[in-house]
Amino acid sequence: MSPKQEKEPIQEKEPINLVEIDSSDDEDDVGVQVQTVAVNPPSASGNQTLESRSFWKAGDFNIGPTKFTPAQGQLEHARVHPKFLHSNATSHKWAFGAIAELLDNAVDEICNGATFVKVDRIYNVKDNSPALLFQDDGGGMDTEGIRKCMSLGYSSKKANTTIGQYGNGFKTSTMRLGADVIVFSRASNRGRVTQSVGLLSYTFLRRTGQDDVIVPMVDFDISNHWAEPIIYGSQDDWSTNLETILEWSPFASKDELMLQFEDIGAHGTKVIIFNLWLNDEGIFELNFDGDEEDIMLRDEANRGSLSKTHKKVLELQSHISHRIRYSLRAYVSILYLTKFTKFRIILRGKPVEQHNIGDELKYPKVVIYRPQLAATSKEVPVETTIGFIKEAPALGVNGFNVYHKNRLIRPFWKVTSDGNSQGNGVVGVLEANFMEPAHDKQDFERSSLFIRLEMRLKQMVAEYWRGHCHLVGHRPYNSNPSRIHVQSPVGHMANVQKQLPIGDHVIGLPGNVQNKTRRDHPIIGLPAELGQELTGTQPGDHCRTSFLDGMPAAQLIDLSAESAQEVRSVDSITSTSIDRICEENIHLFMRCEEHVQKENELRKTIEALENQVEETKRKCAQLSAHLESRKKRKVMQQIEEV
């Protein structure tokens, strides 16, 4: 070991270079226990091929008996079985969610000078199988940083601007995409330039029968323009790590390994995920052949495409709200709310063009939402841009794109109920930094803040629809429908204040009048689906709340007293605005929460008062005992004096 290496403080923290992931509770530990761990030879339980290359079946294997016995004087500690790598990765139900995690790591490096991240398909030279490449020119990771990256639950990202926070994304995302990952990183720290290689291999751990997560790593000091191995323990330890990496990685020699640093530059990180997972049909889950400039999700792209050739279905499938399910380029284009100025995401050699859904809306409106944070009791203003998609009213796409710290969490979140035509074509965009995302960053935690936001978004859709639906071809909304005035109980002529479009079907009209109407208008009183089958209408064709809106004065209808009474009854029921009911429901919900808070405060006040009463009783008892004692002493003194 050179004198220069001995001066580095990291050597005292990292005695050797063979890393065993651990869940120790030591506050000074970053989640990595570094010990001398022998690579076990294949055992009867471990010497087995991967029965299935499907991700969802890769966790099905037998766990052999543990071989760990603590040395004398060493405390037993919790360990991490390799199977945990798979079960931990199942938090990503969607493969693109895992890719987004790795892109987040590169975006977080913008503050360290990163200008690009490349995502591409390369090949494993050992078996010519496809592998997935992520490469950025950020600050890179030094020898300590790469160990933290490979640890479970450790995160050095504490700034409010960074997306990562849980310290688990790299492990879950890489293991979700493939069985193995190798990391190359070059960094400069306090004048010392290092480059490191780490291998996290599920294949290696399973086939060698390991019962703990072992991550072989090798490090080099390149400050003097040549690669000098950094040896923390012994030369044999370093050589064992290198041999393990060469055996289980795509690179068969040290020279091939070192060649991977040539295109990294002065600093940066390269992540190669290999042994990619297959689907249940034995085909690679990621499709690199469908589009040479894109990466597709094979199963999602094929879902629903058969036997559906209707024009509207094809138009819907071409919309970005549908394409983000299977096209990585489409998903990444809206993954970040703010467009980058000096940073590019390069997908298969072509930069991704970013889109802000809010900038493409028709008749946009900005609504300020002020959620009240329970912890601080402060209101944080949140701007929500809401409007119609440019394809409205032809396509009924709707929902809110909700971001957190610039990162898309819920795309096209539909807050309106299914079958309700109100809100078709209405899309919104907001950044909800006041809520915490789930661990896979594809949803939010179901907190009271989330419930209140959902209710407020429903209200936004209803309010926007009332004021803007006529701008895209829907009929104007009217919450005060006119009434029918019957001249006599027999009911020959009805004076109508507004017009009814020719062909509207009104409950209570004689059959001969009904026959004169057209079949392209909705029938009041029938379910929406049945009404569409009978009349040929589509959701969103009408915006009225009453069948009396728009009745032509020339079309006066004779009504019997019974028919008129039925008409008035139906009109009275339908005149109540559904939106008003929704608003009242929201207000009641908010009032209910206020009452719950007041109830909790009153309960705490009662508990405090009860404690005071108990304390007062205790003091009274003490005073009473004291007075009684003094009284007895006084009596005894008087007796003695007598």
Side-chain angles (χ1 to χ4, degrees):
M1 185 179 299
S2 67
K4 181 178 180 181
Q5 293 170 345
E6 293 177 354
K7 294 179 182 179
E8 293 297 328
I10 190 174
Q11 294 181 0
E12 298 177 2
K13 298 180 182 178
E14 306 288 342
I16 64 171
N17 196 34
L18 192 56
V19 178
E20 178 183 8
I21 294 182
D22 181 36
S23 56
S24 174
D25 292 331
D26 188 355
E27 293 181 357
D28 296 330
D29 195 3
V30 298
V32 175
Q33 288 274 335
V34 185
Q35 308 173 7
T36 302
V37 181
V39 177
N40 300 320
S43 62
S45 61
N47 188 16
Q48 53 183 334
T49 59
L50 299 182
E51 293 83 358
S52 174
R53 287 285 304 280
S54 169
F55 171 73
W56 298 107
K57 299 178 182 178
D60 299 335
F61 69 96
N62 296 326
I63 300 177
T66 179
K67 296 177 288 298
F68 176 76
T69 54
Q72 185 176 3
Q74 182 182 9
L75 295 177
E76 177 66 277
H77 61 273
R79 314 183 77 205
V80 180
H81 193 275
K83 195 171 182 178
F84 177 75
L85 291 176
H86 177 267
S87 59
N88 192 36
T90 56
S91 61
H92 286 293
K93 308 300 180 187
W94 190 41
F96 282 177
I99 292 178
E101 286 273 11
L102 297 172
L103 293 177
D104 292 342
N105 290 340
V107 171
D108 285 341
E109 284 296 305
I110 293 178
C111 61
N112 294 323
T115 62
F116 73 87
V117 57
K118 295 194 300 185
V119 184
D120 208 342
R121 187 260 317 264
I122 60 175
Y123 288 97
N124 184 339
V125 294
K126 285 186 177 179
D127 58 12
N128 204 36
S129 63
L132 194 57
L133 166 72
F134 294 84
Q135 182 176 342
D136 66 69
D137 62 342
M141 295 177 287
D142 58 14
T143 56
E144 185 177 3
I146 194 170
R147 282 158 177 77
K148 293 176 180 179
C149 172
M150 296 293 189
S151 305
L152 294 173
Y154 181 85
S155 176
S156 60
K157 301 175 182 179
K158 302 300 182 183
N160 292 330
T161 56
T162 56
I163 302 170
Q165 55 183 321
Y166 297 119
N168 202 32
F170 175 81
K171 278 72 65 175
T172 59
S173 57
T174 53
M175 293 294 99
R176 172 61 184 86
L177 298 169
D180 310 293
V181 58
I182 186 170
V183 181
F184 302 86
S185 194
R186 177 179 288 169
S188 177
N189 187 7
R190 297 191 295 269
R192 186 191 192 198
V193 184
T194 60
Q195 59 188 32
S196 304
V197 183
L199 177 70
L200 181 60
S201 174
Y202 190 53
T203 306
F204 156 67
L205 296 171
R206 285 186 58 175
R207 292 186 177 175
T208 58
Q210 302 299 322
D211 62 356
D212 209 348
V213 176
I214 299 171
V215 183
M217 297 185 190
V218 291
D219 307 282
F220 302 88
D221 189 331
I222 59 172
S223 303
N224 296 323
H225 305 292
W226 66 80
E228 180 181 356
I230 301 175
I231 302 175
Y232 297 117
S234 65
Q235 180 66 45
D236 291 340
D237 293 334
W238 193 92
S239 299
T240 299
N241 280 270
L242 179 61
E243 291 173 3
T244 305
I245 292 173
L246 296 179
E247 180 179 359
W248 296 98
S249 77
F251 310 102
S253 66
K254 179 182 174 182
D255 291 338
E256 291 182 13
L257 207 65
M258 301 302 288
L259 282 175
Q260 297 302 310
F261 288 98
E262 288 194 351
D263 60 343
I264 289 181
H267 47 77
T269 301
K270 178 188 291 187
V271 176
I272 299 176
I273 305 171
F274 55 103
N275 287 331
L276 301 178
W277 297 117
L278 310 180
N279 62 12
D280 292 337
E281 298 177 356
I283 308 173
F284 283 108
E285 185 179 20
L286 298 177
N287 181 8
F288 301 98
D289 301 324
D291 188 336
E292 61 182 10
E293 295 180 349
D294 201 356
I295 297 175
M296 317 283 276
L297 274 182
R298 193 180 308 274
D299 294 339
E300 290 290 341
N302 295 334
R303 184 175 300 172
S305 61
L306 300 176
S307 69
K308 288 186 177 181
T309 57
H310 191 275
K311 180 180 179 182
K312 283 195 173 182
V313 173
L314 295 178
E315 290 176 353
L316 179 62
Q317 291 180 348
S318 65
H319 192 264
I320 192 169
S321 62
H322 181 79
R323 288 190 291 113
I324 60 175
R325 301 177 185 177
Y326 61 86
S327 168
L328 183 61
R329 183 169 292 275
Y331 176 58
V332 174
S333 70
I334 64 171
L335 184 58
Y336 301 102
L337 180 59
T338 303
K339 295 182 179 180
F340 302 120
T341 55
K342 298 180 180 180
F343 184 84
R344 296 180 301 163
I345 300 175
I346 305 173
L347 178 58
R348 303 199 69 181
K350 181 180 179 181
V352 174
E353 182 180 354
Q354 289 185 272
H355 296 287
N356 188 324
I357 300 295
D359 295 339
E360 301 176 355
L361 298 178
K362 296 192 296 186
Y363 312 111
K365 177 183 178 182
V366 177
V367 181
I368 303 297
Y369 172 51
R370 301 181 185 275
Q372 185 173 357
L373 306 182
T376 59
S377 300
K378 294 182 179 180
E379 292 184 347
V380 181
V382 178
E383 288 189 358
T384 302
T385 303
I386 187 172
F388 283 103
I389 59 173
K390 58 186 178 181
E391 295 87 356
L395 294 181
V397 174
N398 59 79
F400 287 86
N401 289 278
V402 188
Y403 291 78
H404 177 81
K405 292 184 180 180
N406 196 45
R407 157 78 137 79
L408 180 63
I409 304 297
R410 290 202 70 164
F412 295 95
W413 175 23
K414 186 176 180 180
V415 297
T416 57
S417 58
D418 293 334
N420 185 4
S421 61
Q422 178 177 300
N424 278 349
V426 178
V427 170
V429 179
L430 71 152
E431 187 174 23
N433 293 339
F434 58 91
M435 296 193 304
E436 288 298 324
H439 282 268
D440 64 347
K441 296 188 179 72
Q442 297 299 310
D443 204 347
F444 288 98
E445 299 291 348
R446 291 300 194 273
S447 62
S448 58
L449 287 172
F450 179 87
I451 296 173
R452 287 200 294 268
L453 174 63
E454 184 176 22
M455 299 299 291
R456 184 65 182 97
L457 294 181
K458 290 181 180 179
Q459 187 182 27
M460 286 185 195
V461 173
E463 292 173 352
Y464 183 84
W465 181 262
R466 282 200 301 268
H468 298 79
C469 66
H470 62 282
L471 298 176
V472 292
H474 296 289
R475 294 180 182 174
Y477 183 95
N478 188 353
S479 59
N480 296 311
S482 58
R483 302 288 182 176
I484 293 180
H485 300 280
V486 182
Q487 291 181 342
S488 65
V490 179
H492 292 290
M493 285 295 199
N495 295 325
V496 184
Q497 296 176 348
K498 299 191 74 175
Q499 295 183 345
L500 176 68
I502 298 175
D504 271 18
H505 293 243
V506 182
I507 294 177
L509 294 185
N512 59 338
V513 178
Q514 296 277 12
N515 293 334
K516 294 179 181 179
T517 59
R518 297 195 303 271
R519 294 180 58 84
D520 58 350
H521 287 274
I523 299 175
I524 296 174
L526 292 181
E529 296 81 0
L530 182 57
Q532 291 169 21
E533 289 182 11
L534 295 178
T535 62
T537 59
Q538 296 296 328
D541 287 346
H542 300 280
C543 197
R544 299 187 311 281
T545 59
S546 172
F547 59 86
L548 297 175
D549 294 350
M551 181 176 289
Q555 187 179 1
L556 301 179
I557 305 172
D558 292 339
L559 298 175
S560 64
E562 184 179 354
S563 298
Q565 178 64 28
E566 187 175 355
V567 170
R568 286 197 297 271
S569 176
V570 173
D571 183 53
S572 175
I573 295 173
T574 56
S575 63
T576 303
S577 172
I578 297 177
D579 301 318
R580 184 172 300 174
I581 295 175
C582 292
E583 293 175 5
E584 291 177 357
N585 188 26
I586 294 172
H587 292 313
L588 289 173
F589 177 81
M590 300 298 292
R591 289 179 60 188
C592 181
E593 280 210 341
E594 291 176 0
H595 286 303
V596 170
Q597 292 178 359
K598 290 180 180 178
E599 182 182 359
N600 292 333
E601 293 174 358
L602 289 174
R603 186 180 295 108
K604 291 180 181 178
T605 303
I606 292 172
E607 291 177 356
L609 291 174
E610 289 177 346
N611 292 335
Q612 291 180 7
V613 170
E614 292 296 329
E615 181 66 18
T616 303
K617 287 181 179 179
R618 186 182 62 81
K619 290 181 178 179
C620 288
Q622 290 177 350
L623 287 173
S624 178
H626 180 67
L627 290 173
E628 186 68 22
S629 176
R630 289 186 60 182
K631 184 177 179 180
K632 288 181 179 180
R633 285 198 302 268
K634 188 174 182 180
V635 171
M636 292 299 294
Q637 288 177 358
Q638 291 176 351
I639 293 173
E640 290 176 356
E641 291 175 356
V642 171

